[in-house]
């Protein structure tokens, strides 16, 4: 059931668990995430970066595919279709294409410009029933061309953006997109606690969910995180399972080269990763 992400995240924040945002890349990804959410009776957010949207031939294709798949698979759990790290123009494209939620990432602008653009997009998104996420500080590393230095968010700036009426807020707290380097210092819980203190009951978003140890995830949830984004980990599981299939020579046996067979181990691997994350985030049975 396609919905915006506000209600599911308000409930998660109040119930002290988090909803996973799993980024999608193609049909297999979308089907794997939707089926797992349904099997586990969990709410879920499908994240689409601008790069992935382009790869899938545009946001309209993505929106049509998700809406049709949601219907044909008989998905009854709440599902939000959400733009990840959107530009100002990308937000308008997704609103037009039928997404149910957007993220405007104005973190690389000066705070005044971030405020001005976020204010406008909050009004447009809410006018059409979409939820909206904003960002303060930045997420380190690179995701689909979006590069961040990883500076921790200023809690006062978070309060300014929260007061614009955004539905959930991503604050940089030392988190990084992609694999964490060996010398990573960990999440800044000092920053997270200070941000949480300033923004009241607003659900907070933890980007860079790949590879964050379970104890840090639990602590982040206890400090107001209600949405956790995972992208790289599903890609790694998919690639690993696919490599094993090919290295075992299974694509050369019988009709093992058939894409429905070739992609099946990767598909199952995405399902297993999504399940593991939903267990850790506590969203199972919360639909
Ligand atoms: P990872 O690729 O590190 O899981 O991060 C995903 C993310 O934050 C999407 O916005």
């Amino acid at each position: 059931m396609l919905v915006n992400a506000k209600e599911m995240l308000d409930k998660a924040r109040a119930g002290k668990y988090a909803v996973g945002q799993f980024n999608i890349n193609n049909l297999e990804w979308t089907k794997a995430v939707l089926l797992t959410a349904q099997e586990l009776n969990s709410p879920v957010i499908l994240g689409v970066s601008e790069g992935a949207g382009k790869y899938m031939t545009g946001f309209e294709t993505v929106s049509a595919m998700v809406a049709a798949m949601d219907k044909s698979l008989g998905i009854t759990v709440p599902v939000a279709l959400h733009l990840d790290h959107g530009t100002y123009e990308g937000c308008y494209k997704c609103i037009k294409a039928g997404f149910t939620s957007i993220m405007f990432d104005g973190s690389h602008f000066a705070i005044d410009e971030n405020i001005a653009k976020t204010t406008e997009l909050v009004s447009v998104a809410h006018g059409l029933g979409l939820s909206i996420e904003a960002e303060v500080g930045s997420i380190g590393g690179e995701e689909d061309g979006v590069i961040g230095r990883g500076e921790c968010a200023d809690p006062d700036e978070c309060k300014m953006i929260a007061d614009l009426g955004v539905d959930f807020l991503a604050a940089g707290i030392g988190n990084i997109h992609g694999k964490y380097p060996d010398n990573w210092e960990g999440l800044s819980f000092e920053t997270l606690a200070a941000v949480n203190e300033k923004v009241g009951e607003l659900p907070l978003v933890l980007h860079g969910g790949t590879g964050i140890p379970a104890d840090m995830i639990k602590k982040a949830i206890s400090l107001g995180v209600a949405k956790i984004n995972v992208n790289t980990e599903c890609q790694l599981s998919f690639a690993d399972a696919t490599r094993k299939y090919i290295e075992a020579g299974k694509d050369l046996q019988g009709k093992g080269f058939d894409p429905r067979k070739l992609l099946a181990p990767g598909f199952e691997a995405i399902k297993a990763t999504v399940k593991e994350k939903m267990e850790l985030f506590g969203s199972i049975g919360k639909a």
Side-chain angles (χ1 to χ4, degrees):
M1 183 185 39
L2 275 176
V3 294
N4 74 34
K6 180 171 170 49
E7 191 184 327
M8 67 169 91
L9 294 181
D10 284 346
K11 271 170 75 180
R13 160 109 212 190
K16 292 216 176 296
Y17 60 92
V19 177
Q21 170 188 308
F22 300 95
N23 284 45
I24 57 170
N25 291 288
N26 60 16
L27 181 143
E28 276 72 24
W29 247 258
T30 312
K31 188 171 151 187
V33 177
L34 287 178
L35 285 175
T36 310
Q38 183 69 24
E39 279 161 26
L40 301 176
N41 197 30
S42 170
V44 76
I45 298 168
L46 302 177
V48 183
S49 68
E50 297 212 354
K54 201 168 162 194
Y55 173 76
M56 289 183 270
T57 76
F59 295 126
E60 291 195 359
T61 309
V62 179
S63 182
M65 173 180 73
V66 169
M69 213 185 268
D70 181 71
K71 195 170 159 213
S72 52
L73 292 175
I75 304 295
T76 54
V77 298
V79 176
L81 176 59
H82 180 72
L83 171 64
D84 189 29
H85 292 286
T87 57
Y88 177 80
E89 296 76 20
C91 284
Y92 277 104
K93 282 186 191 160
C94 286
I95 290 170
K96 190 163 164 261
F99 276 46
T100 63
S101 189
I102 52 171
M103 172 186 190
F104 170 58
D105 181 356
S107 61
H108 45 281
F109 291 121
I111 188 70
D112 288 349
E113 191 164 358
N114 192 355
I115 288 177
K117 290 193 159 69
T118 302
T119 304
E120 177 189 315
L121 286 161
V122 165
S123 153
V124 175
H126 285 174
L128 294 165
L130 282 79
S131 49
I132 176 165
E133 172 180 351
E135 178 168 324
V136 180
S138 81
I139 317 302
E142 190 251 332
E143 196 200 38
D144 252 342
V146 179
I147 298 168
R149 279 172 295 151
E151 61 273 26
C152 281
D154 173 341
D156 290 317
E157 290 187 359
C158 289
K159 166 92 177 121
M160 286 188 237
I161 296 279
D163 286 349
L164 304 177
V166 298
D167 300 295
F168 30 104
L169 179 70
I173 56 165
N175 39 342
I176 299 173
H177 286 133
K179 288 183 181 174
Y180 284 85
D182 292 338
N183 62 354
W184 179 50
E185 287 173 12
L187 297 176
S188 168
F189 289 111
E190 202 185 316
T191 307
L192 180 57
V195 171
N196 190 32
E197 174 92 25
K198 292 272 181 187
V199 303
E201 292 303 304
L202 189 69
L204 297 172
V205 183
L206 181 61
H207 284 248
T210 294
I212 298 180
D215 58 332
M216 286 194 201
I217 294 281
K218 298 271 183 217
K219 188 158 180 192
I221 293 173
S222 77
L223 290 168
V225 164
K227 171 175 180 279
I228 303 178
N229 293 6
V230 178
N231 185 7
T232 306
E233 208 156 324
C234 289
Q235 299 184 8
L236 290 169
S237 323
F238 178 87
D240 188 48
T242 308
R243 179 171 10 84
K244 285 190 177 127
Y245 179 86
I246 293 173
E247 280 180 356
K250 293 192 180 157
D251 57 320
L252 302 173
Q253 294 164 16
K255 279 210 159 197
F257 55 85
D258 177 335
R260 281 170 260 169
K261 294 200 169 108
L262 184 67
L263 300 179
F267 169 80
E268 292 299 334
I270 297 171
K271 287 190 73 191
T273 298
V274 171
K275 179 171 188 235
E276 190 187 304
K277 296 295 167 192
M278 286 178 166
E279 276 163 0
L280 176 61
F281 302 165
S283 70
I284 292 178
K286 297 291 183 359

